[in-house]
Amino acid sequence: ASAICKVALLNHPDDLALAVGEMNNEICDASTGASFLTLTLAVLNPDTHRMTRANAGHMSPLFRRGDGSVEEPTDDDVRGYPLGIARDYPYKTTTNELAPGEAVVFYSDGISEAEDPREELYSVERVKEQVEAAKGETAAEIGEALLEDVRRHTAGSRQSDDVSLVVFRRKGGGLG
């Protein structure tokens, strides 16, 4: 999948929707139809602080504002089918401008669906609460606080899904 992503981005460097569409078609062509994968593809322009992203069936990222509040965008109009479901699916993109001090948290359902010993899910709501409550100011500190809380929640329970987390933050603003 990594090589498919690289080639698609080289073929469509200025259009993430087309890049994700090309990735989807490659996976559809190679698939037996029994599997799929979700993906959020984001490109950040470090000069303008604009992030453009396409979503193939993945949950939306969280935005931790400079004041520490957390928002989850409603991407229902942008969230497309997971890769490998339907060939030639028309993916869409959305763009956000990151304000000073703002952090973005991309996470997999292996975090929100992590189970404790009683098989209770961690939940998207708890992810939001932990990102908002994180005392750290750097992206690494926000991510570490979330992962530590997930570890406390699971209390040694068997991991049933991948755990992926990417956090980045624009310097400046209320968090220092």
Side-chain angles (χ1 to χ4, degrees):
S2 174
I4 292 171
C5 183
K6 288 177 185 176
V7 170
L9 284 170
L10 286 171
N11 288 340
H12 307 285
D14 297 321
D15 193 332
L16 287 186
L18 287 178
V20 172
E22 182 174 316
M23 293 170 60
N24 176 59
N25 287 345
E26 288 290 328
I27 291 170
C28 282
D29 292 347
S31 175
T32 62
S35 63
F36 63 88
L37 69 107
T38 65
L39 167 87
T40 296
L41 183 61
V43 173
L44 178 66
N45 181 321
D47 296 324
T48 65
H49 308 288
R50 291 177 63 93
M51 179 179 67
T52 303
R53 61 190 164 81
N55 188 331
H58 202 69
M59 61 210 25
S60 300
L62 299 177
F63 290 83
R64 184 174 189 222
R65 305 298 181 196
D67 65 3
S69 64
V70 174
E71 294 178 27
E72 179 182 17
T74 54
D75 284 349
D76 293 339
D77 58 331
V78 175
R79 184 176 297 137
Y81 287 167
L83 302 179
I85 299 288
R87 197 171 202 303
D88 297 325
Y89 183 84
Y91 291 94
K92 299 177 184 176
T93 61
T94 187
T95 302
N96 302 88
E97 187 169 328
L98 302 183
E102 190 166 84
V104 182
V105 179
F106 291 93
Y107 62 98
S108 68
D109 59 358
I111 290 177
S112 59
E113 296 176 3
E115 294 181 348
D116 69 7
R118 297 177 310 233
E119 297 183 356
E120 292 180 15
L121 300 180
Y122 189 79
S123 81
V124 172
E125 193 56 43
R126 188 162 172 181
V127 173
K128 291 181 200 175
E129 290 169 3
Q130 289 304 310
V131 169
E132 189 168 38
K135 300 295 184 216
E137 296 184 358
T138 69
E141 290 168 332
I142 293 167
E144 285 296 327
L146 176 58
L147 291 175
E148 181 56 37
D149 193 60
V150 171
R151 283 190 282 273
R152 277 194 299 274
H153 174 78
T154 58
S157 295
R158 186 178 173 281
Q159 182 178 324
S160 61
D161 202 352
D162 67 293
V163 172
S164 300
L165 177 66
V166 175
V167 182
F168 58 89
R169 182 176 165 269
R170 180 177 171 187
K171 290 185 178 185
L175 293 176

